[in-house]
């Protein structure tokens, strides 16, 4: 998982830093933020709001990012805006027009996905909520383009060509820019419309149960190996 932090002013990118993949988010995110403001020449208290991706995505990465954003927001009395991973990824789709399903590899043959409508004036309208389904089901939903974001393109190219429609494509994270600036710009737009989540209500949007949830039965008791539910 890659962490990125960015700073914008209006529609202008001020600075952006992407972490190496081996960086541990828990210990590395705050130093990245410090470095961001050092190279930008700005002060942390200068910001108007904080945008943070709330999911779907990595369990640990989302928890660390949200906890950090909420902590900074509380300390500075700044609004923190929750941004969908799929909405942020949707802003990076190149040369797209019309209805497009944006998918994020969830592994195990499943994808996180949402449908967006890319309009001629450059705006993007969300059509569906974020969801989790098998990749074949998502690709067969309708005759529109699909974009799959994945760690590597191996193992997906054949299925895209077999089931996917015109303009369907793969985008590996190795060929993408960090998302922080995109998240910051989306947060600014939401701040203008007053669509900000209260800090106490902001939680990760996993869509998939965590290991702890899977290991607990319906009565809240730990499940033991070999037991049936």
């Amino acid at each position: 998982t890659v962490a990125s932090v960015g700073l914008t002013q209006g529609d202008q990118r001020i600075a952006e830093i992407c972490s190496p993949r081996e960086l541990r988010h828990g210990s590395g995110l705050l130093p990245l933020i410090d470095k961001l403001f050092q190279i930008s020449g700005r002060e942390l208290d200068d910001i108007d709001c904080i945008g943070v991706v709330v999911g779907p995505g990595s369990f640990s990465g989302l928890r660390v990012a949200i906890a950090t954003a909420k902590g900074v927001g509380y300390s500075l009395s700044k609004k923190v805006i929750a941004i969908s991973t799929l909405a942020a990824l949707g802003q990076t789709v190149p040369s797209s027009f019309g209805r497009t399903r944006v998918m994020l590899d969830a592994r195990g043959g499943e994808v996180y996905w949402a449908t967006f409508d890319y309009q001629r004036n450059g705006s993007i309208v969300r059509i569906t909520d974020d969801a989790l389904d098998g990749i074949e089901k998502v690709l067969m939903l309708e005759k529109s383009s699909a974009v799959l974001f994945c760690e590597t393109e191996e193992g997906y190219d054949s299925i895209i060509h077999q089931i996917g429609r015109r303009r369907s494509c793969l985008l590996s994270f190795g060929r993408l820019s960090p998302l922080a600036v995109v998240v910051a710009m989306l947060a600014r737009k939401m701040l203008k419309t007053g669509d900000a989540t209260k800090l106490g209500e902001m939680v990760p949007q996993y869509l998939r149960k965590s290991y702890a949830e899977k290991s607990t039965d319906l009565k809240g008791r730990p499940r033991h190996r070999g037991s049936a539910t």
Side-chain angles (χ1 to χ4, degrees), residues 4-16 48-53 81-84 87-89 91-92 122 124 177-195:
S4 64
V5 293
L7 185 65
T8 63
Q9 183 173 0
D11 294 328
Q12 180 183 2
R13 180 196 306 253
I14 302 301
E16 188 170 32
D48 295 318
C49 71
I50 301 165
V52 61
V53 165
I81 313 253
I83 304 295
S84 160
L89 289 172
Q91 299 287 324
T92 70
I124 302 174
S177 299
L179 286 174
V181 162
V182 175
V183 171
M185 290 181 176
L186 287 174
R188 175 177 170 270
K189 291 180 181 178
M190 294 176 70
L191 181 67
K192 282 186 172 183
T193 62
D195 191 9

Side-chain angles (χ1 to χ4, degrees), residues 79-102:
K79 288 187 176 181
V80 180
I81 313 253
I83 304 295
S84 160
T85 309
L86 294 170
L89 289 172
Q91 299 287 324
T92 70
V93 174
S95 303
S96 189
F97 174 69
R99 201 163 278 201
T100 299
R101 278 154 295 146
V102 174

Side-chain angles (χ1 to χ4, degrees), residues 47-72:
I47 63 175
D48 295 318
C49 71
I50 301 165
V52 61
V53 165
V54 296
S58 160
F59 286 89
S60 58
L62 292 177
R63 286 197 299 269
V64 170
I66 293 171
T68 302
K70 290 171 74 170
V72 175

